[in-house]
Amino acid sequence: MDILILALVIALVAVGAISGLVVGSRKKKQLPPTAPPSTPTITAPPAEPHVGEEAEPGAQEPRRTIEEVVLPDARTQAPAAEAPAAEPEAPAAPEIEVPEPTAGRLVRLRARLSRSQNSLGKGLLTLLSREHLDEDTWEEIEETLLTADVGVMPTQELVDRLRERVKVLGTRTPEELRALLREELVAIIGPDMDRTVKTESGVDTPGVVMVVGVNGTGKTTTTGKLARVLVADGRSVVLGAADTFRAAAADQLQTWGERVGARTVRGPEGGDPASIAFDAVKEGIAEGADVVLIDTAGRLHTKTGLMDELGKVKRVVEKHGPLDEILLVLDATTGQNGLVQARVFAEVVDITGIVLTKLDGTAKGGIVIAVQRELGVPVKLVGLGEGPDDLAPFEAGAFVDALIGD
Ligand code: GDP
């Protein structure tokens, strides 16, 4: 009997030990999935989840395997986990360029002007310096002005003024002549015209600038350069790529924007320019941007077509508030043709400022005078090259100095 009881006790102990082993082995089987030793993301510093969103799934795992955190070998893997995480961060921050300051740009770029404008400024000075200012010489002076696209009326006015003043002067020293010519050219260009590009709305919404002009004049380039001018002056900018007609225009504008950290609102190719312009201003308001610049398409197919298109863009944008500036971009090398374009655009929208591009590539700087006269609107900016900062605020004095030298 005793033997029987002893056998029973032994049997029970044996069963208990076996079942304990089974439970224990189950526990061990459960561990590996929750504690994979090869999960470096687990030990990644808490900073990592802040850096990349990909850390989410891994972020769950540390809670399951607390002991993993303190495992020495896991810790040694931490730097390895950090290294690849740091790399994708670098390209995420695009390189933002710092544009050149805008003050004095025209003076810095004057060499570009004087190179192409010698026939105007220096030519006039040479003629005025002749010993005998006879009728033929005055005719040559007139011819020089007309060739430089100054325009018939302003040329006549200038010649009359110069004649009068030279007569009064009597003897002429080169310095006196230079000073006299400078004064008269500056006067006819208009030193007192307000040439500030209006980029402040006066309320707490962004200033809105619309850029118009015939395609090929440098409109998109100018919009991009203007964004840089504004950024250089400490303003934040949103770009509206409403030139949906020219295939590459939106990409081109976006590239300009990215270089200075300005967002570009764009739509599908051939999309509705007005709705893109509307969205751009909406984005500008949402972002709290200082200025919204809207590039438009300049198809001179028919005047009515242009009027419909630009008129609609303007009307739609004005649902947010009034436009602060409408800049007309004109290619200075196109001379009379440019003036014809200016007239058409002025009939379609109220131009408030002119941008003369490619002044580096023409000797016909007189277009500044002619186009202001034609539209009664100031030249506010001039393009002096293809470089990103080759757009300068226009100043009458600096312009004339570049023409005649000082
Ligand atoms: P859009 O069709 O009017 O938008 O014209 P783009 O902006 O594409 O410019 C047409 C061409 O003119 C490009 O090759 C520009 O680099 C060039 N361009 C624009 N402004 C100037 C300038 O001031 N000087 C020179 N030399 N080229 C310019």
Side-chain angles (χ1 to χ4, degrees):
M1 191 62 186
D2 279 354
I3 291 167
L4 206 67
I5 290 168
L6 190 68
L8 205 68
V9 168
I10 290 168
L12 277 172
V13 168
V15 167
I18 290 164
S19 69
L21 270 177
V22 170
V23 171
S25 73
R26 254 192 223 136
K27 271 185 196 154
K28 274 182 190 160
K29 268 183 194 161
Q30 280 169 345
L31 272 177
T34 56
S38 58
T39 46
T41 46
I42 294 167
T43 55
E48 200 191 25
H50 296 296
V51 175
E53 295 86 31
E54 292 81 16
E56 272 169 39
Q60 304 284 343
E61 287 171 15
R63 269 183 259 133
R64 286 185 279 148
T65 58
I66 296 161
E67 70 268 37
E68 278 294 314
V69 180
V70 288
L71 278 179
D73 62 331
R75 272 216 225 134
T76 53
Q77 287 179 43
E82 264 178 306
E87 266 169 40
E89 216 187 336
E95 267 183 43
I96 307 284
E97 296 175 16
V98 180
E100 264 181 34
T102 53
R105 268 198 201 182
L106 193 54
V107 175
R108 281 201 298 281
L109 294 168
R110 57 179 286 168
R112 308 263 175 91
L113 268 178
S114 46
R115 224 181 294 144
S116 58
Q117 310 288 341
N118 275 350
S119 55
L120 177 57
K122 302 252 169 59
L124 287 176
L125 215 49
T126 313
L127 288 167
L128 286 171
S129 307
R130 279 190 189 164
E131 208 170 321
H132 299 291
L133 283 175
D134 53 16
E135 278 312 304
D136 284 352
T137 307
W138 284 112
E139 259 177 42
E140 277 184 67
I141 290 172
E142 200 173 300
E143 201 55 44
T144 305
L145 290 166
L146 289 172
T147 310
D149 277 345
V150 171
V152 178
M153 289 298 287
T155 294
Q156 205 51 60
E157 283 171 32
L158 250 175
V159 169
D160 290 349
R161 288 283 305 152
L162 291 171
R163 273 184 169 226
E164 204 180 297
R165 290 198 60 186
V166 167
K167 207 189 291 170
V168 173
L169 207 61
T171 51
R172 292 158 281 140
T173 65
E175 291 71 32
E176 280 171 328
L177 275 179
R178 175 178 281 112
L180 184 153
L181 182 63
R182 184 185 190 279
E183 263 177 53
E184 291 305 325
L185 284 172
V186 168
I188 204 150
I189 289 171
D192 302 326
M193 283 182 134
D194 182 4
R195 300 182 193 275
T196 13
V197 179
K198 300 277 181 306
T199 53
E200 295 191 20
S201 66
V203 282
D204 59 359
T205 52
V208 182
V209 180
M210 184 162 129
V211 184
V212 304
V214 171
N215 284 344
T217 52
K219 197 168 31 65
T220 304
T221 307
T222 298
T223 311
K225 286 177 179 174
L226 181 55
R228 295 178 69 92
V229 165
L230 294 167
V231 169
D233 290 343
R235 324 286 308 283
S236 60
V237 177
V238 166
L239 296 166
D243 178 356
T244 55
F245 179 69
R246 192 162 62 83
D251 289 340
Q252 202 181 323
L253 193 64
Q254 188 169 345
T255 305
W256 279 101
E258 280 167 0
R259 291 173 69 174
V260 286
R263 190 188 305 280
T264 300
V265 175
R266 51 186 295 180
E269 199 180 314
D272 177 24
S275 77
I276 294 165
F278 181 85
D279 287 349
V281 181
K282 200 165 110 189
E283 174 65 26
I285 294 169
E287 267 189 30
D290 295 320
V291 190
V292 178
L293 298 179
I294 299 167
D295 184 23
T296 59
R299 288 179 290 160
L300 264 187
H301 42 318
T302 62
K303 198 166 88 188
T304 345
L306 183 77
M307 204 176 299
D308 286 351
E309 201 164 286
L310 286 184
K312 188 176 168 202
V313 171
K314 184 171 180 285
R315 272 196 314 280
V316 167
V317 164
E318 285 180 338
K319 286 185 182 173
H320 291 293
L323 273 163
D324 299 286
E325 185 87 69
I326 302 181
L327 292 175
L328 171 66
V329 178
L330 288 179
D331 177 340
T333 64
T334 57
Q336 288 305 311
N337 207 355
L339 290 184
V340 174
Q341 291 169 17
R343 241 170 265 147
V344 173
F345 275 91
E347 283 175 41
V348 174
V349 279
D350 293 329
I351 309 293
T352 54
I354 300 156
V355 184
L356 269 180
T357 58
K358 311 185 195 180
L359 259 182
D360 52 313
T362 177
K364 295 172 179 288
I367 192 84
V368 170
I369 299 167
V371 75
Q372 288 191 155
R373 207 38 95 79
E374 181 71 42
L375 301 188
V377 163
V379 169
K380 295 192 167 178
L381 297 159
V382 286
L384 290 163
E386 296 193 78
D389 293 327
D390 292 346
L391 182 75
F394 184 76
E395 302 159 55
F399 180 70
V400 173
D401 284 342
L403 300 195
I404 58 177
D406 46 11

